[in-house]
Amino acid sequence: EAGVTQFPSHSVIEKGQTVTLRCDPISGHDNLYWYRRVMGKEIKFLLHFVKESKQDESGMPNNRFLAERTGGTYSTLKVQPAELEDSGVYFCASSRTGTEQYFGPGTRLTVT
Amino acid sequence: GENVEQHPSTLSVQEGDSAVIKCTYSDSASNYFPWYKQELGKRPQLIIDIRSNVGEKKDQRIAVTLNKTAKHFSLHITETQPEDSAVYFCAASRSGGRRGSQGNLIFGKGTKLSVKP
């Protein structure tokens, strides 16, 4: 089966601009997670979808981040406006059961 | 808040030796402990996991042990090979737990393993 895919692989934007990241989960996986790894630190949870519903968004850093999963398939994560501290690698993961999670390759976001 | 401590941050071994990475978790309700391997430029790959009702699990050259009382779990790699070189992450979660927290992984900071030929 195809793995989790993410687009773009890299994005370089200026402070104040908007960026939208996309994640396509493994087909049939209702659970979709977003994580972020800031340089030198651990991978941190951002939010969890079950189908199109936000199950838990306790990890979202502030209201500049907006995640959607319309139709319960792919998900987008928008950062608007981007700040320097938003730089990092954004991972998406999906799971059929809510236990084993399979990660995408990540999107490396650089805010200058 | 809940956290996972991982040690060491870097580990260098000779090919054929064993490698051990240790993690400690703070949330006593955690019941699922996966390990991920991330090679340079690639995605984190789930290599083995263990649930809280099991003390040890083995898959070929890798094994994981869990001590619930001490809230420790460890990854053991035997007969290391150069292709084992990567960053390894441990994680913990409350899988199947209360609404709103199911499956959210809390990660350690990672261990960079280098296996020298």
Side-chain angles (χ1 to χ4, degrees), chain A residues 3-6 23 90-94 102-106, chain B residues 38 42-44:
Chain A
V4 177
T5 58
Q6 293 186 245
C23 169
Y90 289 76
F91 290 105
C92 174
S94 73
Y102 299 93
F103 278 70
Chain B
Q38 187 178 23
K42 296 190 176 181
R43 69 188 68 205

Side-chain angles (χ1 to χ4, degrees), chain B residues 4 7-8 14 27 31 44-45 52 56 63 66 74-75 79 103 105 107:
Chain B
V4 172
H7 298 281
Q14 285 295 131
D27 182 5
N31 58 6
Q45 179 190 1
S52 58
E56 183 174 358
L66 171 65
S74 300
L75 178 72
E79 301 172 26
L105 295 172
F107 281 89

Side-chain angles (χ1 to χ4, degrees), chain B residues 100-114:
Chain B
S101 69
Q102 182 174 352
N104 308 336
L105 295 172
I106 300 171
F107 281 89
K109 289 189 175 182
T111 296
K112 184 176 181 180
L113 173 64
S114 299

Side-chain angles (χ1 to χ4, degrees), chain B residues 9 29 41 58 86 102 111 116:
Chain B
S9 56
K58 189 173 181 180
Q102 182 174 352
T111 296
K116 298 180 179 179

Side-chain angles (χ1 to χ4, degrees), chain B residues 29-49:
Chain B
S30 295
N31 58 6
Y32 174 67
F33 308 91
W35 286 87
Y36 288 85
K37 173 185 179 182
Q38 187 178 23
E39 297 175 79
L40 192 62
K42 296 190 176 181
R43 69 188 68 205
Q45 179 190 1
L46 177 64
I47 58 171
I48 195 167
D49 56 17

Side-chain angles (χ1 to χ4, degrees), chain A residues 3-5 33 35 37 40-45 48 55-56 58 91 97-106, chain B residues 32 36 38 41-46 49 51 87 89 93 95-96 99-110:
Chain A
V4 177
T5 58
Y33 305 82
Y35 294 87
R37 187 181 190 202
K41 299 197 173 182
E42 64 270 31
I43 300 170
K44 283 200 168 180
F45 166 77
H48 171 202
Q55 183 80 357
D56 181 358
S58 62
F91 290 105
T97 63
T99 304
E100 296 91 353
Q101 296 183 28
Y102 299 93
F103 278 70
Chain B
Y32 174 67
Y36 288 85
Q38 187 178 23
K42 296 190 176 181
R43 69 188 68 205
Q45 179 190 1
L46 177 64
D49 56 17
R51 288 164 173 75
V87 178
F89 294 96
S93 77
S95 178
R99 181 179 176 82
S101 69
Q102 182 174 352
N104 308 336
L105 295 172
I106 300 171
F107 281 89
K109 289 189 175 182

Side-chain angles (χ1 to χ4, degrees), chain A residues 24-96:
Chain A
D24 286 78
I26 294 171
S27 178
H29 284 195
D30 289 339
N31 294 275
L32 186 150
Y33 305 82
W34 283 98
Y35 294 87
R36 175 174 74 172
R37 187 181 190 202
V38 173
M39 185 178 292
K41 299 197 173 182
E42 64 270 31
I43 300 170
K44 283 200 168 180
F45 166 77
L46 296 178
L47 89 160
H48 171 202
F49 284 99
V50 177
K51 297 185 180 179
E52 68 275 8
S53 299
K54 291 178 184 175
Q55 183 80 357
D56 181 358
E57 51 186 330
S58 62
M60 295 288 262
N62 51 60
N63 59 9
R64 295 185 294 102
F65 289 75
L66 175 64
E68 295 181 323
R69 194 183 181 194
T70 306
T73 54
Y74 71 91
S75 174
T76 58
L77 179 65
K78 179 161 61 175
V79 184
Q80 179 183 29
E83 298 289 345
L84 298 178
E85 63 265 25
D86 300 333
S87 295
V89 181
Y90 289 76
F91 290 105
C92 174
S94 73
S95 173
R96 186 184 305 277

